[in-house]
Amino acid sequence: MNRPVLIVEDEPDIAEGLRYNLEREGLRVVLAGTGEKGLEIALDKTDPPALVLLDLMLPGMSGIELCRRLRREPSTRRTPIIMLTARGSESERVAGLELGADDYVTKPFSVRELAARVKAVLRRSEESATASYEDEKLRVHFDDMHVLCEGAEVRLTRKEFALLSALARRPGKVATRTQLLDEVWGQQYYGDTRTLDVHIRRLRAKLGVCGDSIETVVGVGYRFVGCSAKAGGRRDEAPGP
Ligand code: CA
């Protein structure tokens, strides 16, 4: 039996709409109307969720608090989390991503698009624990700094490779600007954050036709979506700077 998708959402109409569409995609769904109930279900080791869809605006325990708890527990530390956020709650969204949530969608959202995103995140989370990233056009070998785009070697600087690895190791996951600066330049980095954008721009240029495998998430950071149509996520966000 496949592991369920846990939906933590206090609005019954939204929860039921999500359940209906995810079940149509062949996924099993469990609903929780509060953060407390969601935590209890997520930590149930007999039937742990494959993914959590988490509304941030909940009565009682907030979505952010639940996200923090899930990331603290060994059994749910790596469980993908997609946050459902209200328009204009950017600071909360960034806080959630920095706590380790994988992605977010802004309400009101298309339930069918969200179902597609859930399937993409599930597929990527199965693929991610490997020594390389590979799709139809792009290959990234994390151990030996080897990058191939349509079979041709892409020569990158150490920083460019570190940046590409930081993104490609977690396909589909949004990386905030702070996370990328910490990971690639170190915790002590206090320089100009435009450094990041400059490196992303160079990286995209060097990747050529694979350059759009790095998506800009406006106001937040970047997301690696891969280069083939199959691996591609949504393309509805603004192109890079
Ligand atoms: Ca709510």
Side-chain angles (χ1 to χ4, degrees), residues 159-171:
K159 284 285 184 235
E160 287 161 356
F161 182 78
L163 186 54
L164 178 60
S165 298
L167 290 160
R169 276 182 194 279
R170 286 165 297 230

Side-chain angles (χ1 to χ4, degrees), residues 9-11 55-59 107:
E9 166 64 84
D10 59 313
E11 288 157 77
D55 182 29
L56 290 190
M57 291 278 283
L58 294 167
K107 291 181 178 179

Side-chain angles (χ1 to χ4, degrees), residues 4-210:
V5 172
L6 169 60
I7 300 174
V8 188
E9 166 64 84
D10 59 313
E11 288 157 77
D13 290 354
I14 297 179
E16 285 300 334
L18 286 170
R19 183 218 287 268
Y20 175 78
N21 279 275
L22 293 177
E23 285 181 349
R24 265 179 36 159
E25 297 287 334
L27 297 167
R28 195 153 62 86
V29 173
V30 192
L31 299 183
T34 64
E36 288 82 355
K37 188 72 189 160
L39 183 63
E40 186 192 318
I41 294 172
L43 296 181
D44 175 5
K45 298 210 171 47
T46 61
D47 193 21
L51 180 145
V52 181
L53 274 179
L54 177 58
D55 182 29
L56 290 190
M57 291 278 283
L58 294 167
M61 184 194 292
S62 72
I64 288 290
E65 179 56 23
L66 178 54
C67 187
R68 193 194 318 275
R69 301 271 196 104
L70 294 176
R71 284 298 172 255
R72 204 186 292 157
E73 295 293 329
S75 63
T76 53
R77 189 167 289 157
R78 286 179 191 78
T79 307
I81 298 173
I82 300 179
M83 302 178 287
L84 310 177
T85 72
R87 210 166 275 286
S89 63
E90 189 165 297
S91 60
E92 239 187 2
R93 189 181 302 159
V94 170
L97 291 167
E98 286 179 353
L99 282 170
D102 292 75
D103 201 353
Y104 67 89
V105 291
T106 306
K107 291 181 178 179
F109 50 79
S110 141
V111 174
R112 286 177 66 184
E113 187 207 317
L114 180 61
R117 195 95 67 82
V118 165
K119 291 197 88 173
V121 170
L122 283 174
R123 188 176 64 229
R124 287 162 186 156
S125 80
E126 284 161 14
E127 290 167 353
S128 64
T130 55
S132 65
Y133 170 83
E134 210 168 321
D135 61 36
E136 285 160 25
K137 292 180 180 169
L138 180 65
R139 282 165 73 171
V140 182
H141 295 271
F142 300 123
D143 298 334
D144 61 1
M145 286 185 58
H146 205 55
V147 180
L148 294 168
C149 178
E150 292 190 314
E153 175 142 18
V154 181
R155 293 190 168 277
L156 299 176
T157 66
R158 209 162 268 282
K159 284 285 184 235
E160 287 161 356
F161 182 78
L163 186 54
L164 178 60
S165 298
L167 290 160
R169 276 182 194 279
R170 286 165 297 230
K173 179 170 165 40
V174 177
T176 68
R177 306 173 63 79
T178 309
Q179 285 171 334
L180 290 170
L181 285 167
D182 281 353
E183 194 162 329
V184 178
W185 280 271
Q187 299 278 350
Q188 302 307 313
Y189 187 79
Y190 296 112
D192 193 338
T193 62
R194 274 180 307 180
T195 300
L196 175 61
D197 300 321
V198 169
H199 276 77
I200 291 275
R201 208 173 309 148
R202 276 197 219 130
L203 185 53
R204 281 179 174 147
K206 285 190 180 180
L207 288 171
V209 297
C210 292

